[in-house]
Structures are given as structure tokens and as C-alpha cells.
Amino acid sequence: MTALLEVEDLRVAYGKIEAVKGISFSIEEGQVVTLIGTNGAGKTTTLRTLSGLLKPTSGSVTFKGERIDGKQAHEIVQMGLAHSPEGRRIFARMTIEENLLLGAFLRRDQAGIQADIRHAYDLFPILGERRKQAAGTLSGGEQQMLAMGRALMSQPKLLMLDEPSMGLSPIMMQKIMSTITELRQGGMTILLVEQNAQAALSLADQGHVMEVGRISLSGTGADLLHDESVRKAYLGED
Ligand code: ATP
């Protein structure tokens, strides 16, 4: 089986600083894959490169059998790769529904868009209840739901989530994690970047540990959860 996403020897630099130093990994359709690692390891840089916001210095990214590392961000969204960015980037003064519609800006199928809005409200009822309110009035966790809902509005084949649990209460975090599980059960393929290694590895099929721009360790979520070095470095154990 060919992978849905194939990253090969990817390098990305900010000027002279190389933030991603030759990483390779792949994602099969239907899998949840997580990248974990400390601040500055290069996780966000990797996602931004996959979605075409940064250009790699070398290496390749293949999505659905096609090279995408030279494509524009909007072309990549249109191919089915969506990105819910770190810090959520919602538009605070626009309503919740307007924010969701932004996620569908490349679509013309009005009936499908409306069906997907209803689907977002099924997934996150609070968004439906408050759809006419300014998005800035939502709590942090609710804004995270909105960011995920907006990414889903492009009907992605692969959904990339950058630190969805950041700054959330344990209850909100659980809600987000159970939504990820729900999406996966519906067949969505997900690339999840998380600082919360415990939560991410618990639901991931595959995990990769990033350290200063490289993948230092890979395995199934369960293997990494039980790995002694991972437990010490990322799960707060002595
Ligand atoms: P975090 O969880 O803190 O976002 P991360 O693993 O996602 O960490 P990146 O944000 O990808 O890490 O950062 C990787 C490296 O690239 C860091 O050393 C960071 O300082 C550097 N970096 C990130 N963005 C820029 C930028 N715009 N210009 C210069 N250096 C940058």
C-alpha cells in the first residue's frame, strides 16, 4: 500500500538556522500519527512546511502520490490537506459561523458546505449554540474546537493539528482528545503535534519523537508510551 503522505529527508531552514534537519516519515490512510518533542524541536516548522507555508531547502513531501513541496498553500488545501494551526488563529471579531465558512473558501458546493457546518455543530454543539456570536467570546477550548471545525470544512483527507491541547483545562483537553478519536473512527487520517505526550501517544497508531530538528525515536504509540527514555524525558518520570 502506498502511504497517503510520505516525507523524505526533509530539511527546512530560517535563514542560516536549520530547524528541520532531514526527517522522514509516512502516514497511511486512516492512521493517527503524532510528532512529540520539546519546544523548538521543529514540529511546527514541519507542519508549516507540509501545508506549503514554508519551502523546504531539500527533501520531498508526497501527498496522494503527488509531490507537493513546490505547491502553493491553497493548492495543498484543495488537494485535501488541512492545518489547524498552533495558537488557533481564529478571527475574533467574526462570528463562529463566519469562521467556519472561511474553512470552505475553496468550495463551491453550497449544499455540501451547509451539511458540513451541521456536522461541525454535531461534533461541537457549543459552536452551534453560539454560531452568531463573535468567535472572540469563546473560551480557549471552544476556540480550539472552532479551529478544528474550520479545518474540517475543507473536507480534508489528512487533518494536521498543531498542539490542540495547549493551554486547555484537563476536561477540555479530554473533549478534544475524544473528538480526535471520533474523527479517526470516522476514517479521518490525522497528524497530531502535541506537547502532551501521554495524551497523544495514547491515541496514536504511530509516534515520532523530535529532538532539535531530527526524529530520534519512532514506534507505535503503545511502544513509545512504554519506552523508558520517552517516559523520563516526556512523561515526567524519574
Ligand atoms: P514549539 O512547540 O515551541 O512550537 P516546535 O517543535 O514546534 O516547538 P518550531 O516552532 O518548529 O518547534 O521551531 C524550531 C526551531 O526553529 C526553533 O529553534 C525556533 O526557534 C526556530 N524558529 C521557528 N520559527 C522561526 C522563525 N520564524 N525564524 C527563525 N527561527 C525560527
Side-chain angles (χ1 to χ4, degrees), residues 140-153:
E142 292 158 356
Q143 290 187 15
Q144 184 57 54
M145 294 173 187
L146 181 55
M148 282 172 74
R150 184 180 58 191
L152 288 169
M153 287 301 296

Side-chain angles (χ1 to χ4, degrees), residues 40-203:
K43 307 179 300 297
T44 296
T45 301
T46 301
L47 292 198
R48 290 177 60 79
T49 307
L50 300 187
S51 52
L53 298 170
L54 294 171
K55 294 288 164 233
T57 43
S58 67
S60 67
V61 182
T62 307
F63 179 58
K64 299 200 296 189
E66 203 177 317
R67 284 281 293 263
I68 59 167
D69 42 271
K71 290 191 188 291
Q72 302 288 319
H74 68 91
E75 297 175 289
I76 294 174
V77 175
Q78 201 143 30
M79 284 180 70
L81 205 165
H83 184 175
S84 174
E86 189 175 26
R88 299 151 201 159
R89 309 281 162 90
I90 60 142
F91 294 90
R93 280 189 283 194
M94 292 170 68
T95 67
I96 288 155
E97 190 148 305
E98 285 165 346
N99 270 273
L100 285 174
L101 284 168
L102 281 179
F105 76 104
L106 292 167
R107 296 173 59 184
R108 293 289 170 265
D109 56 322
Q110 281 309 323
I113 292 171
Q114 289 308 319
D116 283 344
I117 290 225
R118 285 195 297 277
H119 181 233
Y121 294 156
D122 287 342
L123 210 53
F124 303 114
I126 187 80
L127 299 184
E129 287 161 27
R130 299 179 57 183
R131 66 200 168 90
K132 298 287 183 213
Q133 289 181 29
T137 64
L138 295 173
S139 73
E142 292 158 356
Q143 290 187 15
Q144 184 57 54
M145 294 173 187
L146 181 55
M148 282 172 74
R150 184 180 58 191
L152 288 169
M153 287 301 296
S154 64
Q155 290 196 312
K157 288 284 285 175
L158 172 60
L159 176 64
M160 300 198 296
L161 302 171
D162 197 350
E163 306 230 4
S165 80
M166 190 163 58
L168 302 189
S169 66
I171 288 178
M172 269 300 179
M173 197 191 84
Q174 268 192 346
K175 166 71 186 153
I176 296 293
M177 291 299 158
S178 68
T179 306
I180 294 173
T181 306
E182 205 177 321
L183 289 171
R184 177 248 210 109
Q185 283 162 354
M188 183 64 72
T189 310
I190 296 170
L191 176 56
L192 171 65
V193 160
E194 259 298 334
Q195 294 257 350
N196 187 327
Q198 173 85 43
L201 293 174
S202 302
L203 56 79

